[in-house]
């Protein structure tokens, strides 16, 4: 009888632990990678990554950090409640002529505490005729 009670207590404990973990907030992004395509040199471009909190608890973004100085990010600073949307605006400066792939690291209180967003594209030289007048 004691073994049966012990087994029931252990199973109940695991069930409570699993259900507590299921209540954590979680991202659901519309897109996690954005392709700017071809961009003229010296023309900054921006995109907004939109996400929904599909967890039960409020989602709090602690930090949004681009991996290089050529990219800046602005993000929702208030807690995002269950079912609500938030956003992360990313701007790339497009100074150097070359293809690019940049990562933005998002840190939060979600089930997945770090999420990587990616922007890609190719910066092309401006047309010399268009810049002379």
């Amino acid at each position: 009888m004691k073994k049966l009670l012990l087994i029931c207590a252990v199973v109940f404990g695991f069930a409570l632990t699993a259900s507590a973990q299921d209540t954590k907030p979680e991202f659901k992004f519309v897109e996690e990678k954005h392709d700017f395509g071809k961009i003229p040199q010296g023309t900054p471009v921006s995109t907004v990554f939109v996400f929904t909190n599909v967890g039960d608890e409020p989602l709090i973004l602690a930090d949004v950090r681009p991996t290089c100085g050529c990219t800046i990010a602005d993000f929702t600073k208030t807690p995002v409640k269950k079912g609500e949307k938030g956003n992360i605006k990313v701007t790339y400066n497009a100074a150097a002529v070359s293809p690019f792939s940049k990562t933005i690291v998002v840190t939060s209180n979600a089930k997945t505490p770090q999420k990587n967003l990616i922007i890609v594209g190719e910066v092309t030289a401006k047309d010399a005729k268009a810049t002379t007048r």
Side-chain angles (χ1 to χ4, degrees):
M1 185 68 170
K2 286 183 181 180
K3 286 183 180 180
L4 181 60
L5 286 175
L6 180 62
I7 291 171
C8 288
V10 169
V11 169
F12 183 70
F14 280 125
L16 282 178
T17 302
S19 67
Q21 290 175 347
D22 290 341
T23 64
K24 283 192 149 234
E26 188 60 71
F27 292 107
K28 181 174 183 187
F29 280 91
V30 173
E31 69 174 350
E32 294 181 25
K33 181 178 182 178
H34 181 79
D35 187 348
F36 285 110
K38 293 186 185 276
I39 307 163
Q41 183 180 15
T43 306
V45 290
S46 297
T47 189
V48 177
F49 291 96
V50 178
F51 63 88
T52 303
N53 177 3
V54 294
D56 292 328
E57 295 177 11
L59 177 62
I60 300 168
L61 302 182
D63 192 27
V64 177
R65 187 173 307 267
T67 55
C68 78
C70 58
T71 307
I72 58 171
D74 189 25
F75 58 95
T76 301
K77 308 285 192 298
T78 57
V80 179
K81 296 177 184 172
K82 175 183 180 178
E84 291 185 354
K85 295 184 184 302
N87 62 62
I88 300 169
K89 181 180 179 182
V90 177
T91 303
Y92 178 70
N93 72 3
V97 175
S98 69
F100 67 90
S101 177
K102 304 297 176 186
T103 302
I104 298 87
V105 180
V106 180
T107 306
S108 72
N109 67 330
K111 285 181 194 175
T112 309
Q114 277 201 335
K115 191 82 154 165
N116 290 337
L117 303 175
I118 299 170
I119 58 171
V120 298
E122 182 179 357
V123 178
T124 58
K126 281 190 175 182
D127 184 9
K129 293 176 186 175
T131 58
T132 58
R133 286 190 175 196

